[in-house]
Amino acid sequence: MKIPNIKISPPGPKAKEILEKDHLYTAPAYGRVYPLVVKQGRGMAIEDVDGNRFLDFMAGIAVVSTGHSHPAVVKAIEEQARKFLHICGSDFYYEPMVELAEKLNQLASGSSPKKVFLTNSGTEAIEAAIKLTRYSTKRQHIVAFEGAFHGRTLGSLSLTTSRSSHRAHFGPLIPAIHHVPYGFDGHAAHDADGRPRSERLDYLEKVIFRREVTPEEVAAIFVEPIQGEGGYIVPPPGFLPAVQDLCRRHGILLVLDEIQSGFGRTGKMFACEHWGVEPDILCVAKGIASGLPIGAMIARSEISSWTRGTHGSTFGGNPVACAAALATIQLLEEGLVANAAETGRYLKEQLAQIQKRHAQIGDVRGLGLMIGVEFIQPGADRALDRHRRDQVVQKCFETGLLLLGCGEATIRFCPPLIVTREDVDTAVMIFEAAVREAGQ
């Protein structure tokens, strides 16, 4: 099967019919990127309702880790669906839920025993973590980072600052949330105020803890090991260990949001393993079940002190989703995490070569198959170029390559972890052609 294969310029006639109906009946809050109307997916390929086939390098926003409709995952779903679909894990017991909790306990970073709370999504995992950190510490204040994305329900939205439109007109958000600059290596060595980025964590102790809240009042620090929606930002090597050290010194809980970076995406099961960091709470979702809705909050047992009935979920830990997650994790352990590391290095190398040929690409960064390409306006100020980024994403879609933007002017490459070098060669060829056309 040839991928990509564009038979008719998208959106075709069948897609247009569905788009018109969607506009009539679907809430306008959804932030659709381009008019892709999906009929089916297999492996790395997406076919739309008009017969166009696309090469998928966005994986449903880093979700479809084993590729679309992997046979082993589909088999697990079918087998569990024939047994029972739902019974409510908050009230009763069933083996898939217990097996998944046991597996996540084994996979999570560090040797400490843990307890798992299963949710329907990433934002629910963050909400659970907010509640647990306050319940466990009896403290109220929480620290998060500028540029972070933790979700769009009210609690997680209060932590999110990747885009002002996410927060606009929803206030007041939950109180006692403080935001500090994220420490990272990027296209510039200093912030707009001239402060070196390596010194950003000092702002927490020298400003926040001195002027806004004492560390003894802070329940938790929430941080993405690699910022996702904020621009696929990779911190410098000492940043996460320094955050962990600060938390330990002040009795603050460290909550890592690995909703996008977890489950092999960066070439390790969890991104925090690159820096040897063990969180107090790990929040996961997206790639855990190859597309079925499930998330988890994994907390050290001594922190998971809440009592019966203090939290729950009707659908969290659904047995079919648990079966999909167990099948997905088995595939990850059998080679897909290793492939993410190896093929991710190759993809980053190829993108770095394209950067050398095109001045409008200011940075190529990432780990494994979580890679960001940032666009700038060539010149002394190297201003971020959102318009050019959006042009490239659209042109790639029109020629059969599915990509997504993030941050101010970054394109994310987050394909399914089954991706091959041949897929990479095809993708970068289409991508460079789009970059070249957008520059004309």
Side-chain angles (χ1 to χ4, degrees):
M1 181 172 64
K2 181 183 177 183
I3 312 170
N5 184 13
I6 303 301
K7 299 177 180 180
I8 183 170
S9 180
K14 292 182 180 179
K16 287 179 181 178
E17 289 180 12
I18 295 172
L19 291 171
E20 289 175 3
K21 187 179 292 187
D22 180 88
H23 294 328
L24 287 174
Y25 301 115
T26 304
Y30 297 114
R32 269 60 180 269
V33 180
Y34 37 70
L36 173 68
V37 182
V38 177
K39 177 183 178 181
Q40 62 182 349
R42 292 291 183 275
M44 292 292 299
I46 285 289
E47 182 178 336
D48 76 4
V49 292
D50 293 291
N52 293 317
R53 291 197 293 267
F54 300 83
L55 180 60
D56 185 4
F57 262 63
M58 57 86 183
I61 317 184
V63 168
V64 191
S65 52
T66 61
H68 294 280
S69 300
H70 192 288
V73 178
V74 172
K75 180 182 177 182
I77 292 169
E78 289 176 342
E79 289 178 352
Q80 178 56 47
R82 291 190 186 97
K83 296 175 182 177
F84 67 99
L85 296 175
H86 173 76
I87 196 65
C88 185
S90 286
D91 293 328
F92 306 104
Y93 305 89
Y94 42 90
E95 192 171 13
M97 184 173 178
V98 176
E99 287 184 356
L100 180 58
E102 179 184 24
K103 190 63 180 178
L104 294 175
N105 197 310
Q106 295 167 356
L107 291 176
S109 301
S111 58
S112 303
K114 301 170 181 69
K115 299 288 187 181
V116 176
F117 183 90
L118 295 176
T119 68
N120 301 289
S121 64
T123 192
E124 288 185 19
I126 296 294
E127 296 283 354
I130 292 172
K131 288 180 68 176
L132 180 57
T133 57
R134 286 180 165 177
Y135 186 92
S136 175
T137 64
K138 303 300 184 286
R139 303 176 181 185
Q140 294 185 357
H141 293 261
I142 293 173
V143 173
F145 289 87
E146 294 172 2
F149 183 89
H150 295 290
R152 281 182 268 208
T153 51
L154 197 64
S156 61
L157 181 63
S158 302
L159 306 178
T160 292
T161 55
S162 58
R163 194 184 306 172
S164 60
S165 60
H166 290 150
R167 297 163 61 96
H169 312 300
F170 295 120
L173 302 177
I174 69 171
I177 305 294
H178 309 266
H179 288 92
V180 298
Y182 188 79
F184 62 90
D185 294 327
H187 69 275
H190 294 76
D191 291 321
D193 60 6
R195 185 173 65 253
R197 289 180 170 179
S198 60
E199 296 179 4
R200 286 177 144 204
L201 193 59
D202 292 344
Y203 182 84
L204 180 55
E205 292 202 83
K206 294 180 179 179
V207 178
I208 299 297
F209 287 171
R210 288 182 183 178
R211 299 177 183 176
E212 294 187 15
V213 60
T214 66
E216 291 76 22
E217 297 174 278
V218 176
I221 295 177
F222 282 67
V223 61
E224 298 164 277
I226 299 174
Q227 284 197 334
E229 296 296 318
Y232 273 33
I233 306 297
V234 182
F239 177 69
L240 283 175
V243 174
Q244 179 176 252
D245 177 68
L246 183 148
C247 287
R248 299 293 183 262
R249 284 189 283 113
H250 295 294
I252 298 169
L253 299 181
L254 174 61
V255 181
L256 292 188
D257 178 343
E258 293 243 24
I259 291 164
Q260 188 158 176
S261 62
F263 292 99
R265 173 60 49 192
T266 68
K268 292 185 180 293
M269 188 60 74
F270 299 108
C272 61
E273 296 172 19
H274 289 282
W275 298 279
V277 171
E278 178 183 357
D280 297 298
I281 297 176
L282 181 67
C283 294
V284 297
K286 287 192 181 289
I288 185 175
S290 299
L292 264 67
I294 189 169
M297 183 199 66
I298 308 165
R300 290 195 297 112
S301 294
E302 63 186 82
I303 294 165
S304 192
S305 58
W306 44 11
T307 55
R308 184 175 181 269
T310 49
H311 198 49
S313 172
T314 299
F315 295 109
N318 171 270
V320 180
C322 287
L326 289 165
T328 297
I329 291 169
Q330 182 175 346
L331 291 166
L332 295 177
E333 292 184 311
E334 289 176 350
L336 293 187
V337 177
N339 186 62
E342 181 179 348
T343 309
R345 281 192 293 270
Y346 180 69
L347 172 58
K348 190 176 179 181
E349 290 168 0
Q350 299 308 303
L351 292 171
Q353 291 301 314
I354 294 175
Q355 180 188 8
K356 292 178 182 179
R357 297 191 288 269
H358 299 276
Q360 61 265 48
I361 296 179
D363 195 20
V364 174
R365 54 180 179 255
L367 292 170
L369 290 171
M370 189 175 183
I371 300 173
V373 177
E374 189 170 72
F375 284 80
I376 61 169
Q377 297 175 14
D381 62 353
R382 295 170 61 85
L384 297 177
D385 195 339
R386 185 187 190 93
H387 176 68
R388 191 184 301 271
R389 186 273 308 274
D390 293 345
Q391 280 186 311
V392 172
V393 170
Q394 181 64 33
K395 290 181 183 300
C396 284
F397 166 66
E398 292 169 358
T399 50
L401 176 64
L402 303 180
L403 295 170
L404 286 174
C406 62
E408 291 295 322
T410 299
I411 290 177
R412 71 182 104 184
F413 286 74
C414 53
L417 307 191
I418 63 170
V419 65
T420 66
R421 285 192 172 212
E422 290 76 16
D423 295 326
V424 169
D425 291 339
T426 300
V428 296
M429 179 182 66
I430 296 170
F431 173 69
E432 184 168 20
V435 171
R436 190 179 298 112
E437 186 176 350
Q440 293 175 354

